[in-house]
Amino acid sequence: MAMAEPSRNMMTDGLGRRISYLRISVTDRCDLRCRYCMAEKMQFLPKNQVLTLEEIALLADLFVARGIDKIRLTGGEPLVRRDIGDLVRRIGRHLGNGLDELTLTTNGTRLADHADMLFDAGVRRVNVSLDSRDPARFAHVTRGGDIDTVLRGVDAARDAGLAVKINMVALKGVNEDEILPMLHWCDAQGFDLTLIETMPLGETGEDRTDHYLPLTKVADQIGQSHALTPLPHRTGGPARYHGVDGMSVRLGLITPLTRNFCADCNRIRMTCEGKIFMCLGHEDHVDFKAALRDGGLPAVEPLIDRALRLKPAAHDFRIGTGEGAATTRHMSVTGG
Ligand code: SAM
Ligand code: SF4
């Protein structure tokens, strides 16, 4: 029997992994300064180095035409980008027409203003980062954030009809005692919870090793009071989900350090400068902005295949080896 022709639209990397998920950092700027993410006096990129919203939209069009079926907007804080609604609506037009899902990761500070816009543009799920529900602790971790604003944003998202997943970076000595209470709170609110190990991305002026908390340990601790059952549920990202005995919340674990998740990686990332990184933990990239500004979309198209060939087998994050950050890029530039 003849083999089916591979779809013209399908993007496959050199190791045969299908690439279907694009994360776009729409800005490196942010109104918070989370200690594990940014330096307190963060130097942001000059505006002319950052893609315009129109450029981002054109590149998104191209990627959808090449087989990307899921896009997540992130940053920096995507909702601080002026006129972000124009971009969300523009990309949202692909939904049901090549694009299966458009999602957003946000710190929640501007969510109350944008929740309805997101829903109207076709977004159905948002990830909101919340490392602590304690006002003083939240202000400490974010270097000045106001928890009430974020909680109002979370409520607005739910009221608008958006499914909410809370992202919590597990930090030893900072919020480890809040993990179980956060799980209970998410369960009561009808949210899912994903825990993330701190990754060595960009200098922050602080030593992440001090706060690195392996999620294998956290899962063991939760397991003492609530049995965890692996679930087949996947959202296209790196989280592995677990059911929690006695609760309806799903617990996601993102474990780049304790359990490498690269073998089935389907993701690429576009930075706010238009660089395509095939892996969060590697420096290899292809610069789409220069090509787009010099030769328009026809100049960009051949670069997609070059980028696909660059995708490495795995990241090589290590923490606690005294080697500092794995890459000099902050998560806020590449897009978390
Ligand atoms: N500003 C938005 C937010 O905080 O959700 C979106 C961008 S932020 C870079 C995306 C996610 O990356 C957040 O959940 C944040 O906690 C996480 N993050 C940032 N730096 C990290 C690091 N070094 N290690 C692990 N997670 C990190
Ligand atoms: Fe801003 Fe998100 Fe980084 Fe916190 S994690 S500083 S909210 S980009």
Side-chain angles (χ1 to χ4, degrees), residues 202-286:
E203 292 304 330
T204 58
E206 309 215 353
D207 186 356
R208 292 188 182 87
T209 315
D210 292 348
H211 299 301
Y212 170 59
L213 180 59
L215 290 185
T216 40
K217 193 176 155 203
V218 174
D220 286 347
Q221 277 165 0
I222 296 174
Q224 286 173 14
S225 52
H226 300 80
L228 298 180
T229 315
L231 297 175
H233 175 74
R234 297 295 302 269
T235 56
R240 296 291 183 283
Y241 286 90
H242 300 262
V244 185
D245 190 33
M247 300 192 202
S248 56
V249 59
R250 281 181 295 219
L251 175 66
L253 301 176
I254 300 187
T255 55
L257 290 118
T258 53
R259 182 184 177 283
N260 181 298
F261 45 53
C262 305
D264 55 358
C265 181
N266 59 350
R267 294 174 292 286
I268 56 176
R269 294 159 192 273
M270 184 164 80
T271 72
C272 54
E273 289 180 282
K275 292 179 180 160
I276 302 293
F277 281 86
M278 304 306 285
C279 175
L280 197 53
H282 280 256
E283 298 291 350
D284 289 341
H285 64 275
V286 176

Coordinates of all heavy atoms in Angstrom, one line a residue, residues 202-286:
G202 N 19.2 33.6 32.2 CA 19.5 35.1 32.3 C 19.9 35.4 33.8 O 19.4 34.8 34.7
E203 N 20.7 36.4 33.9 CA 21.2 36.8 35.2 C 20.0 37.6 35.9 O 19.4 38.4 35.2 CB 22.4 37.6 35.2 CG 23.7 36.8 34.7 CD 23.9 35.6 35.6 OE1 23.6 35.7 36.8 OE2 24.4 34.6 35.1
T204 N 19.8 37.4 37.2 CA 18.8 38.2 37.9 C 19.3 38.9 39.1 O 18.6 39.6 39.8 CB 17.7 37.2 38.4 OG1 18.4 36.3 39.3 CG2 17.1 36.4 37.4
G205 N 20.6 38.8 39.3 CA 21.2 39.4 40.5 C 21.0 38.6 41.7 O 21.4 39.0 42.8
E206 N 20.4 37.4 41.6 CA 20.2 36.5 42.7 C 20.6 35.1 42.3 O 20.6 34.8 41.1 CB 18.7 36.5 43.1 CG 18.2 37.9 43.3 CD 17.1 38.0 44.4 OE1 16.7 37.0 44.9 OE2 16.7 39.1 44.6
D207 N 21.0 34.3 43.3 CA 21.4 32.9 43.0 C 20.2 32.0 43.1 O 19.6 31.8 44.1 CB 22.5 32.5 44.0 CG 23.0 31.1 43.6 OD1 22.5 30.5 42.7 OD2 24.0 30.7 44.3
R208 N 19.8 31.5 41.9 CA 18.6 30.6 41.9 C 18.9 29.3 42.6 O 17.9 28.6 43.1 CB 18.2 30.3 40.4 CG 17.7 31.4 39.7 CD 17.2 30.9 38.3 NE 16.7 32.0 37.5 CZ 17.5 32.7 36.6 NH1 18.8 32.4 36.6 NH2 17.0 33.6 35.9
T209 N 20.1 28.9 42.7 CA 20.5 27.6 43.4 C 19.9 27.6 44.8 O 19.4 26.6 45.2 CB 22.0 27.4 43.5 OG1 22.5 27.8 42.2 CG2 22.3 26.0 43.8
D210 N 19.9 28.8 45.4 CA 19.4 28.9 46.8 C 17.9 28.5 46.9 O 17.5 28.0 47.9 CB 19.5 30.3 47.3 CG 20.9 30.8 47.5 OD1 21.8 29.9 47.5 OD2 21.1 32.0 47.7
H211 N 17.2 28.7 45.8 CA 15.7 28.5 45.9 C 15.3 27.4 45.0 O 14.1 27.2 44.9 CB 15.0 29.8 45.5 CG 15.3 30.9 46.4 ND1 15.1 30.9 47.8 CD2 15.9 32.1 46.2 CE1 15.5 32.0 48.4 NE2 16.0 32.8 47.4
Y212 N 16.2 26.6 44.5 CA 15.8 25.5 43.6 C 15.1 24.4 44.4 O 15.7 23.9 45.4 CB 17.0 25.0 42.8 CG 16.7 23.7 42.1 CD1 15.7 23.7 41.1 CD2 17.4 22.5 42.4 CE1 15.4 22.5 40.4 CE2 17.1 21.3 41.7 CZ 16.1 21.3 40.7 OH 15.8 20.2 40.1
L213 N 13.9 24.0 44.0 CA 13.2 23.0 44.7 C 12.8 21.9 43.7 O 12.0 22.2 42.8 CB 11.9 23.7 45.3 CG 11.0 22.8 46.1 CD1 11.7 22.2 47.3 CD2 9.8 23.7 46.6
P214 N 13.4 20.8 43.8 CA 13.0 19.7 42.8 C 11.6 19.3 43.0 O 11.1 19.0 44.1 CB 14.0 18.6 43.1 CG 14.7 18.9 44.3 CD 14.3 20.3 44.8
L215 N 10.8 19.2 41.9 CA 9.4 18.9 42.0 C 9.1 17.4 42.3 O 8.1 17.1 42.8 CB 8.7 19.3 40.7 CG 8.5 20.8 40.5 CD1 7.7 21.1 39.2 CD2 7.9 21.5 41.7
T216 N 10.2 16.6 42.1 CA 10.0 15.2 42.6 C 9.7 15.2 44.1 O 8.9 14.5 44.6 CB 11.3 14.4 42.3 OG1 12.4 15.2 42.6 CG2 11.3 14.0 40.8
K217 N 10.5 16.1 44.8 CA 10.3 16.2 46.3 C 8.9 16.7 46.6 O 8.2 16.2 47.5 CB 11.4 17.1 46.8 CG 11.6 17.1 48.3 CD 12.8 18.0 48.7 CE 12.5 18.4 50.1 NZ 13.3 19.6 50.5
V218 N 8.5 17.8 45.9 CA 7.2 18.3 46.1 C 6.1 17.3 45.9 O 5.2 17.2 46.7 CB 7.0 19.6 45.2 CG1 5.6 20.1 45.4 CG2 8.0 20.7 45.5
A219 N 6.2 16.6 44.8 CA 5.2 15.6 44.5 C 5.1 14.5 45.6 O 4.0 14.1 46.0 CB 5.5 14.9 43.1
D220 N 6.3 14.1 46.1 CA 6.3 13.1 47.2 C 5.6 13.7 48.4 O 4.8 13.0 49.1 CB 7.8 12.8 47.6 CG 8.4 11.9 46.6 OD1 7.7 11.4 45.7 OD2 9.7 11.8 46.6
Q221 N 5.8 15.0 48.7 CA 5.2 15.6 49.9 C 3.7 15.7 49.7 O 2.9 15.3 50.6 CB 5.8 17.0 50.1 CG 7.1 16.9 50.9 CD 7.8 18.3 50.8 OE1 7.4 19.2 50.2 NE2 9.0 18.3 51.5
I222 N 3.2 16.1 48.5 CA 1.8 16.2 48.3 C 1.2 14.8 48.4 O 0.1 14.5 49.0 CB 1.5 16.8 46.9 CG1 2.0 18.2 46.9 CG2 0.0 16.7 46.6 CD1 1.8 18.9 45.5
G223 N 1.9 13.8 47.8 CA 1.5 12.4 47.8 C 1.2 11.8 49.2 O 0.5 10.9 49.4
Q224 N 1.9 12.4 50.2 CA 1.7 11.9 51.6 C 0.2 12.1 52.1 O -0.3 11.4 52.9 CB 2.7 12.5 52.6 CG 4.1 12.0 52.4 CD 5.1 12.7 53.2 OE1 4.8 13.4 54.1 NE2 6.4 12.4 52.8
S225 N -0.4 13.2 51.6 CA -1.8 13.5 52.0 C -2.8 13.2 50.9 O -4.0 13.0 51.2 CB -1.9 14.9 52.6 OG -1.4 15.8 51.6
H226 N -2.4 13.3 49.6 CA -3.3 13.2 48.5 C -2.6 12.3 47.5 O -1.6 12.8 46.9 CB -3.7 14.5 47.9 CG -4.3 15.4 48.9 ND1 -3.7 16.2 49.8 CD2 -5.6 15.7 49.1 CE1 -4.5 16.9 50.5 NE2 -5.7 16.7 50.1
A227 N -3.1 11.1 47.2 CA -2.5 10.3 46.1 C -2.5 11.0 44.8 O -3.6 11.6 44.4 CB -3.2 9.0 46.1
L228 N -1.4 11.0 44.1 CA -1.4 11.6 42.7 C -1.4 10.5 41.7 O -0.7 9.5 41.8 CB -0.1 12.4 42.6 CG 0.1 13.6 43.5 CD1 1.5 14.3 43.3 CD2 -1.0 14.6 43.4
T229 N -2.3 10.7 40.7 CA -2.4 9.7 39.6 C -2.1 10.4 38.3 O -2.7 11.3 37.9 CB -3.9 9.2 39.5 OG1 -4.3 9.0 40.9 CG2 -4.0 8.0 38.7
P230 N -1.1 9.8 37.6 CA -0.8 10.4 36.3 C -2.0 10.4 35.3 O -2.7 9.4 35.3 CB 0.4 9.5 35.7 CG 0.9 8.9 36.9 CD -0.2 8.7 37.9
L231 N -2.2 11.5 34.6 CA -3.3 11.6 33.7 C -2.8 11.7 32.3 O -1.7 12.3 32.0 CB -4.1 12.9 34.0 CG -4.8 13.1 35.4 CD1 -5.4 14.5 35.5 CD2 -5.9 12.0 35.5
P232 N -3.6 11.2 31.3 CA -3.2 11.4 29.9 C -3.3 12.8 29.4 O -2.8 13.1 28.4 CB -4.2 10.4 29.2 CG -5.3 10.2 30.1 CD -4.9 10.5 31.5
H233 N -4.1 13.7 30.2 CA -4.4 15.0 29.7 C -3.1 15.8 29.3 O -2.1 15.8 30.1 CB -5.1 15.8 30.9 CG -5.3 17.2 30.6 ND1 -6.3 17.7 29.7 CD2 -4.7 18.4 31.1 CE1 -6.3 19.0 29.7 NE2 -5.3 19.4 30.5
R234 N -3.1 16.4 28.1 CA -1.9 17.2 27.7 C -2.5 18.5 27.1 O -3.6 18.5 26.5 CB -1.1 16.5 26.6 CG -0.4 15.2 27.1 CD 0.6 15.5 28.1 NE 1.7 16.4 27.7 CZ 2.8 16.0 27.2 NH1 3.0 14.8 26.9 NH2 3.7 16.9 26.8
T235 N -1.8 19.6 27.3 CA -2.3 20.8 26.7 C -1.3 21.3 25.6 O -1.4 22.5 25.2 CB -2.4 21.9 27.8 OG1 -1.1 22.1 28.4 CG2 -3.4 21.6 28.8
G236 N -0.4 20.4 25.2 CA 0.5 20.8 24.1 C 1.8 21.3 24.7 O 2.8 21.5 24.0
G237 N 1.8 21.7 26.0 CA 3.1 22.2 26.6 C 3.8 21.1 27.3 O 3.5 19.9 27.2
P238 N 4.8 21.5 28.1 CA 5.7 20.5 28.7 C 5.1 19.9 30.0 O 5.8 19.0 30.6 CB 7.0 21.4 29.0 CG 6.5 22.8 29.2 CD 5.3 22.9 28.3
A239 N 4.0 20.4 30.5 CA 3.5 20.0 31.8 C 3.0 18.5 31.7 O 2.4 18.1 30.7 CB 2.4 20.9 32.3
R240 N 3.3 17.7 32.8 CA 2.7 16.4 32.9 C 1.7 16.5 34.0 O 2.0 17.0 35.1 CB 3.8 15.4 33.3 CG 4.8 15.2 32.3 CD 4.3 14.4 31.0 NE 5.3 14.2 30.0 CZ 5.8 15.0 29.2 NH1 5.5 16.3 29.3 NH2 6.7 14.7 28.3
Y241 N 0.4 16.1 33.7 CA -0.7 16.3 34.6 C -1.0 15.1 35.5 O -0.8 13.9 35.1 CB -1.9 16.7 33.9 CG -1.8 18.1 33.4 CD1 -1.3 18.4 32.1 CD2 -2.2 19.2 34.2 CE1 -1.1 19.6 31.7 CE2 -2.0 20.5 33.7 CZ -1.5 20.7 32.5 OH -1.3 22.0 32.0
H242 N -1.5 15.4 36.7 CA -1.8 14.4 37.7 C -3.2 14.7 38.3 O -3.5 15.9 38.5 CB -0.8 14.4 38.8 CG 0.6 14.1 38.4 ND1 1.2 12.8 38.4 CD2 1.5 14.9 37.8 CE1 2.4 12.9 37.9 NE2 2.6 14.1 37.5
G243 N -4.0 13.7 38.5 CA -5.2 13.8 39.3 C -4.8 13.8 40.8 O -3.8 13.2 41.2
V244 N -5.6 14.5 41.6 CA -5.2 14.6 43.0 C -6.4 14.0 43.8 O -7.6 14.5 43.6 CB -5.1 16.1 43.4 CG1 -4.6 16.2 44.9 CG2 -4.1 16.8 42.5
D245 N -6.1 13.0 44.6 CA -7.2 12.2 45.2 C -8.0 13.2 46.1 O -7.5 14.0 46.8 CB -6.5 11.2 46.2 CG -7.5 10.2 46.7 OD1 -8.5 10.0 46.0 OD2 -7.4 9.8 47.8
G246 N -9.3 13.1 45.9 CA -10.3 13.9 46.7 C -10.5 15.3 46.1 O -11.2 16.1 46.7
M247 N -9.8 15.7 45.0 CA -10.0 17.0 44.4 C -10.3 16.9 42.9 O -9.9 15.9 42.3 CB -8.7 17.8 44.6 CG -8.3 18.0 46.0 SD -7.0 19.3 46.1 CE -6.2 18.9 47.6
S248 N -10.8 18.0 42.4 CA -11.0 17.9 40.9 C -9.9 18.7 40.2 O -9.9 18.7 39.0 CB -12.4 18.5 40.6 OG -12.6 19.8 41.1
V249 N -9.1 19.4 40.9 CA -8.0 20.2 40.3 C -7.0 19.2 39.6 O -6.8 18.1 40.1 CB -7.2 21.0 41.4 CG1 -6.7 20.1 42.5 CG2 -6.1 21.9 40.8
R250 N -6.5 19.6 38.4 CA -5.4 18.8 37.8 C -4.1 19.5 38.2 O -4.0 20.8 38.1 CB -5.6 18.8 36.3 CG -6.6 17.8 35.9 CD -6.7 17.8 34.4 NE -7.2 19.1 33.9 CZ -8.1 19.2 32.9 NH1 -8.5 18.2 32.3 NH2 -8.5 20.4 32.5
L251 N -3.1 18.7 38.6 CA -1.8 19.3 39.0 C -0.8 19.0 37.9 O -0.5 17.8 37.6 CB -1.4 18.6 40.3 CG 0.0 19.0 40.8 CD1 0.1 20.5 41.2 CD2 0.5 18.1 41.9
G252 N -0.3 20.1 37.3 CA 0.7 19.9 36.3 C 2.1 20.1 36.9 O 2.3 21.0 37.8
L253 N 3.0 19.4 36.4 CA 4.4 19.5 36.9 C 5.3 19.8 35.7 O 5.3 19.0 34.7 CB 4.9 18.2 37.6 CG 4.1 17.8 38.8 CD1 4.6 16.5 39.4 CD2 4.1 18.9 39.9
I254 N 6.0 20.9 35.7 CA 7.0 21.2 34.6 C 8.4 21.0 35.3 O 8.8 21.8 36.1 CB 6.8 22.6 34.1 CG1 5.4 22.8 33.5 CG2 7.9 22.9 33.0 CD1 5.2 24.1 32.8
T255 N 9.1 20.0 34.8 CA 10.3 19.5 35.5 C 11.5 19.5 34.6 O 12.0 18.4 34.3 CB 10.0 18.1 36.1 OG1 9.6 17.3 34.9 CG2 9.0 18.1 37.1
P256 N 11.9 20.6 34.1 CA 13.0 20.6 33.1 C 14.3 20.0 33.7 O 15.1 19.4 33.0 CB 13.3 22.1 32.8 CG 12.6 22.8 33.9 CD 11.5 22.0 34.3
L257 N 14.4 20.1 35.0 CA 15.7 19.7 35.6 C 15.6 18.3 36.2 O 16.6 17.5 36.0 CB 16.1 20.7 36.7 CG 16.6 22.0 36.0 CD1 15.7 23.2 36.5 CD2 18.0 22.3 36.2
T258 N 14.5 17.9 36.8 CA 14.5 16.6 37.4 C 14.0 15.6 36.4 O 14.2 14.4 36.5 CB 13.6 16.5 38.6 OG1 12.3 17.0 38.3 CG2 14.1 17.2 39.8
R259 N 13.2 16.0 35.4 CA 12.7 15.0 34.4 C 12.7 15.8 33.0 O 11.9 16.6 32.8 CB 11.3 14.5 34.7 CG 10.8 13.5 33.7 CD 9.4 13.1 34.1 NE 8.9 12.1 33.1 CZ 8.4 12.5 31.9 NH1 8.5 13.7 31.5 NH2 7.9 11.5 31.1
N260 N 13.7 15.4 32.2 CA 13.8 16.1 30.9 C 12.6 15.8 30.0 O 12.2 14.6 29.9 CB 15.1 15.6 30.3 CG 15.4 16.3 29.0 OD1 14.6 16.1 28.1 ND2 16.5 17.0 28.9
F261 N 12.0 16.8 29.4 CA 10.8 16.6 28.6 C 11.0 16.8 27.1 O 10.1 17.1 26.4 CB 9.7 17.5 29.1 CG 10.1 18.9 29.4 CD1 10.7 19.6 28.4 CD2 9.8 19.5 30.6 CE1 11.0 21.0 28.6 CE2 10.2 20.8 30.9 CZ 10.8 21.5 29.9
C262 N 12.3 16.7 26.7 CA 12.6 17.1 25.3 C 12.2 16.2 24.2 O 12.0 16.5 23.1 CB 14.1 17.4 25.2 SG 14.7 18.6 26.4
A263 N 12.1 14.9 24.6 CA 11.9 13.8 23.5 C 10.7 14.1 22.7 O 10.7 13.8 21.5 CB 11.9 12.5 24.1
D264 N 9.6 14.6 23.3 CA 8.4 14.9 22.5 C 8.1 16.4 22.4 O 7.0 16.8 22.3 CB 7.2 14.1 23.1 CG 7.0 14.4 24.6 OD1 7.8 15.2 25.1 OD2 6.0 13.9 25.2
C265 N 9.2 17.2 22.4 CA 9.0 18.6 22.3 C 8.5 19.0 20.9 O 9.0 18.6 19.9 CB 10.3 19.3 22.5 SG 10.1 21.1 22.5
N266 N 7.4 19.8 20.9 CA 6.7 20.2 19.7 C 6.8 21.7 19.5 O 6.1 22.3 18.7 CB 5.2 19.7 19.7 CG 4.5 20.4 20.9 OD1 5.1 21.0 21.8 ND2 3.2 20.2 21.0
R267 N 7.6 22.4 20.3 CA 7.5 23.8 20.5 C 8.7 24.6 19.8 O 9.9 24.1 19.9 CB 7.5 24.2 21.9 CG 6.3 23.8 22.7 CD 6.4 24.1 24.1 NE 7.4 23.3 24.8 CZ 7.3 22.0 25.1 NH1 6.2 21.3 24.7 NH2 8.2 21.3 25.7
I268 N 8.4 25.8 19.3 CA 9.4 26.7 19.0 C 9.0 28.1 19.6 O 7.8 28.2 19.9 CB 9.7 26.8 17.5 CG1 8.4 27.2 16.7 CG2 10.3 25.6 16.9 CD1 8.7 27.4 15.2
R269 N 10.0 29.0 19.7 CA 9.7 30.2 20.3 C 10.1 31.4 19.5 O 11.2 31.3 18.9 CB 10.4 30.3 21.7 CG 9.9 29.3 22.7 CD 10.9 29.1 23.7 NE 10.6 27.9 24.5 CZ 9.8 28.0 25.6 NH1 9.3 29.1 26.0 NH2 9.5 26.9 26.2
M270 N 9.3 32.4 19.4 CA 9.8 33.6 18.7 C 9.9 34.7 19.7 O 9.0 35.1 20.5 CB 8.8 34.0 17.6 CG 9.3 35.2 16.8 SD 8.4 35.5 15.3 CE 6.9 36.3 15.9
T271 N 11.1 35.3 19.8 CA 11.3 36.4 20.7 C 10.7 37.7 20.2 O 10.3 37.8 19.0 CB 12.8 36.7 20.9 OG1 13.3 37.3 19.7 CG2 13.6 35.4 21.2
C272 N 10.6 38.7 21.1 CA 10.0 39.9 20.7 C 10.9 40.6 19.7 O 10.4 41.6 19.0 CB 9.8 40.8 21.9 SG 11.3 41.0 22.9
E273 N 12.1 40.2 19.5 CA 13.0 40.8 18.4 C 12.9 40.0 17.1 O 13.6 40.2 16.2 CB 14.4 40.7 18.8 CG 14.8 41.6 19.9 CD 16.3 41.5 20.2 OE1 16.6 40.5 20.9 OE2 17.1 42.3 19.7
G274 N 12.0 38.9 17.1 CA 11.9 38.2 15.8 C 12.9 37.1 15.6 O 13.2 36.7 14.5
K275 N 13.6 36.7 16.7 CA 14.5 35.6 16.6 C 13.7 34.3 16.9 O 13.0 34.3 17.9 CB 15.7 35.8 17.6 CG 16.5 36.9 17.2 CD 17.7 37.1 18.2 CE 18.5 38.3 17.8 NZ 19.3 38.8 18.9
I276 N 14.0 33.3 16.1 CA 13.3 32.0 16.4 C 14.3 31.1 17.1 O 15.4 30.8 16.6 CB 12.9 31.3 15.0 CG1 12.0 32.2 14.2 CG2 12.3 30.0 15.3 CD1 10.6 32.5 14.8
F277 N 13.9 30.8 18.3 CA 14.8 29.9 19.1 C 14.1 28.5 19.1 O 12.9 28.4 19.4 CB 14.9 30.4 20.5 CG 16.0 31.4 20.7 CD1 15.6 32.7 20.5 CD2 17.3 31.1 21.0 CE1 16.6 33.7 20.6 CE2 18.2 32.1 21.1 CZ 17.9 33.4 20.9
M278 N 14.8 27.5 18.8 CA 14.2 26.2 18.7 C 14.2 25.5 20.1 O 13.6 24.5 20.3 CB 15.0 25.3 17.7 CG 15.1 25.9 16.3 SD 13.5 26.4 15.6 CE 12.9 24.8 15.2
C279 N 14.9 26.1 21.0 CA 15.0 25.5 22.4 C 15.3 26.6 23.4 O 16.1 27.5 23.1 CB 16.1 24.4 22.5 SG 16.3 23.8 24.1
L280 N 14.5 26.6 24.5 CA 14.7 27.6 25.5 C 16.1 27.6 26.1 O 16.6 28.6 26.5 CB 13.7 27.2 26.7 CG 13.3 28.2 27.7 CD1 12.8 29.5 27.1 CD2 12.3 27.6 28.6
G281 N 16.8 26.4 26.0 CA 18.1 26.3 26.7 C 19.3 26.3 25.7 O 20.4 26.0 26.1
H282 N 19.0 26.7 24.5 CA 20.2 26.8 23.5 C 20.2 28.2 22.9 O 19.2 28.9 22.7 CB 20.0 25.7 22.5 CG 20.5 24.4 22.9 ND1 21.7 23.8 22.5 CD2 19.9 23.5 23.7 CE1 21.8 22.6 23.1 NE2 20.7 22.4 23.9
E283 N 21.4 28.6 22.5 CA 21.6 29.9 21.9 C 21.3 29.9 20.4 O 21.1 31.0 19.8 CB 23.1 30.4 22.1 CG 23.4 30.6 23.5 CD 22.7 31.8 24.2 OE1 22.0 32.5 23.5 OE2 22.8 31.9 25.4
D284 N 21.3 28.7 19.7 CA 21.1 28.7 18.3 C 19.8 29.3 17.9 O 18.7 29.0 18.5 CB 21.1 27.3 17.8 CG 22.4 26.6 17.8 OD1 23.4 27.4 17.9 OD2 22.5 25.4 17.8
H285 N 19.8 30.2 16.9 CA 18.5 30.8 16.5 C 18.6 31.3 15.1 O 19.7 31.4 14.5 CB 18.2 32.0 17.4 CG 19.2 33.1 17.3 ND1 20.3 33.1 18.1 CD2 19.2 34.2 16.6 CE1 21.0 34.2 17.8 NE2 20.4 34.9 16.9
V286 N 17.5 31.7 14.5 CA 17.4 32.3 13.2 C 16.7 33.6 13.3 O 15.7 33.7 14.0 CB 16.7 31.3 12.2 CG1 16.5 32.0 10.9 CG2 17.4 30.0 12.1

